[in-house]
Amino acid sequence: MSHLIHKHLLISAKVNSPPLFNYSSDKLNANIRKLIKNIDMEILSGPHSAYCNEPGNEGWSSTAIITTSSITFHSWTESGQVELDVYSCREFDINTVFQWISQFEIEKLNYKYIDRELDFKEISSDSFDIWSNKKIDRIVS
């Protein structure tokens, strides 16, 4: 068995275009599958997506089990909040994850990238107080 590495990316973003009620679970599932493919991972189960219509908590949630761990996505329609966790026992390019989440028109983004192998060591403590295309260009390039 190869050495497992335990990388965990947590993203919290305020967005201008969160997925709305009519987004559809099929569309979100396809979108999560695209993210998984783009970070070169393999699906073990899912994605499984559903819309919550509970007042004050309206929004989409999705989870996928990948062969190296999991991906979880949550959004809130009213507040435009989006949360994304990508946890893998194999390396992945966080820039690709930032490109994927930018489809929701990010206004503000904060993230933590953690190495969970030995402790919960932060790999990067950068955060974005105000999102701009200039900042995504620095990340993506």
Side-chain angles (χ1 to χ4, degrees):
M1 181 176 179
S2 64
H3 178 72
L4 303 178
I5 60 165
H6 306 286
K7 297 296 193 276
H8 195 167
L9 176 63
L10 300 105
I11 295 175
S12 179
K14 171 80 168 125
V15 300
N16 293 316
S17 295
L20 302 176
F21 173 76
N22 61 355
Y23 194 80
S24 92
S25 59
D26 288 341
K27 185 173 181 179
L28 186 53
N29 287 342
N31 211 338
I32 297 292
R33 280 193 294 276
K34 182 178 178 182
L35 171 61
I36 293 166
K37 181 181 184 222
N38 289 350
I39 61 172
D40 196 29
M41 299 293 169
E42 294 179 29
I43 296 171
L44 185 59
S45 178
H48 308 280
S49 299
Y51 185 81
C52 176
N53 58 10
E54 180 181 307
N57 195 33
E58 296 94 347
W60 284 97
S61 292
S62 185
T63 190
I65 301 170
I66 55 178
T67 57
T68 55
S69 199
S70 63
I71 294 176
T72 304
F73 173 87
H74 299 287
S75 68
W76 288 266
T77 304
E78 189 175 308
S79 66
Q81 188 68 26
V82 170
E83 304 285 330
L84 177 68
D85 287 10
V86 178
Y87 176 49
S88 179
C89 298
R90 198 179 73 168
E91 293 285 348
F92 61 94
D93 183 0
I94 67 170
N95 295 330
T96 302
V97 180
F98 289 123
Q99 286 176 323
W100 180 87
I101 204 164
S102 69
Q103 70 183 297
F104 301 112
E105 299 179 22
I106 297 167
E107 182 178 316
K108 178 180 178 178
L109 183 142
N110 291 295
Y111 74 96
K112 296 284 183 191
Y113 188 38
I114 300 169
D115 183 345
R116 294 172 49 167
E117 184 175 352
L118 301 175
D119 278 324
F120 282 83
K121 178 184 170 197
E122 220 173 287
I123 297 169
S124 176
S125 61
D126 293 339
S127 65
F128 297 99
D129 293 325
I130 298 174
W131 185 262
S132 74
N133 287 334
K134 289 180 183 177
K135 290 182 181 179
I136 187 84
D137 290 343
R138 283 200 308 264
I139 294 171
V140 174
S141 48

